[in-house]
């Protein structure tokens, strides 16, 4: 170990073989890391503290305190972060594709077509409702009252359908009667 550690330019440095052993990687990996920005004092020697900090940033993406504007400092950490985000997006896309294949999602055009057909049927049914109610009560009341009942139901139905077509929610008008 005496040959693996020495002071260079007042900095504690370790040999390449000791650095590889310390970080648990091959010496070729150290060479790749140097290309990515890991500090190196001279050929075969690495500053211990600076290398340790760099490796931690590289492997963990940096500490939150050491980041500026939420972005990692090293290019390798940035790459790792963006690759992770890419994998997340790909996983979400695959999950959506699988859900579509299972029939959990319906095409927009199909939904619009079905809703248009439903609301057309609803409108026809509701507008004819006042006539049916009037026919049911006709034997029990005079003809003028039947027409008033039919007209009141028709007006209320038209108001409801109009309000639903504009806002989508029916809010009953409050009457002044108590």
């Amino acid at each position: 170990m005496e040959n693996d550690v020495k002071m260079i330019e007042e900095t504690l440095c370790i040999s390449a073989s000791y650095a590889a052993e310390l970080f648990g990687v091959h010496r070729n990996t150290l060479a790749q890391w140097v290309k990515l920005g890991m500090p190196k004092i001279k050929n075969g020697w690495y500053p211990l503290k600076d290398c340790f900090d760099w490796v931690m940033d590289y492997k963990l993406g940096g500490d939150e305190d050491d980041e500026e504007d939420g972005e990692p400092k090293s290019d390798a950490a940035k790459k790792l972060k963006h690759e992770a985000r890419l994998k997340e997006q790909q996983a979400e896309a695959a999950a959506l594709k699988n859900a579509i294949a299972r029939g959990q999602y319906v095409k927009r055009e199909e939904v619009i077509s079905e809703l248009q057909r439903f609301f057309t049927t609803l409108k026809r049914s509701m507008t004819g409702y006042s006539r049916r109610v009037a026919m049911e009560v006709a034997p029990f009341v005079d003809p003028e009252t039947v027409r008033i009942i039919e007209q009141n139901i028709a007006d209320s139905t038209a108001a409801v359908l109009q309000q639903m077509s504009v806002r989508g929610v029916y809010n009953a008008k409050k009457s002044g009667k108590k």
Side-chain angles (χ1 to χ4, degrees), residues 33-68:
W33 285 357
V34 168
K35 289 179 184 176
L36 293 173
M38 186 170 93
K40 177 178 169 181
I41 293 282
K42 67 180 196 178
N43 195 21
W45 291 94
Y46 301 91
L48 178 60
K49 182 184 180 324
D50 295 341
C51 286
F52 181 78
D53 291 342
W54 187 90
V55 169
M56 293 305 292
D57 282 346
Y58 179 76
K59 286 190 173 185
L60 302 177
D63 291 337
E64 294 297 322
D65 297 339
D66 295 341
E67 295 175 0
E68 297 172 13

Side-chain angles (χ1 to χ4, degrees), residues 100-117:
I100 290 169
R102 287 190 304 266
Q104 293 177 332
Y105 288 92
V106 182
K107 289 183 180 177
R108 182 178 186 268
E109 294 79 24
E110 290 177 23
V111 172
I112 290 172
S113 174
E114 287 295 319
L115 285 174
Q116 285 175 335
R117 196 174 15 240

Side-chain angles (χ1 to χ4, degrees), residues 130-131 134 144-158:
S130 62
R131 171 63 73 191
E144 181 65 28
T145 307
V146 170
R147 283 192 294 277
I148 292 171
I149 290 171
E150 182 180 356
Q151 190 60 48
N152 285 344
I153 293 172
D155 290 345
S156 295
T157 302

Side-chain angles (χ1 to χ4, degrees), residues 70-88:
E71 289 294 319
K73 286 183 179 180
S74 71
D75 290 339
K78 288 178 186 176
K79 179 182 176 193
L80 187 64
K81 177 182 174 187
H82 290 293
E83 284 176 346
R85 286 192 1 210
L86 173 65
K87 293 292 183 190
E88 288 173 3

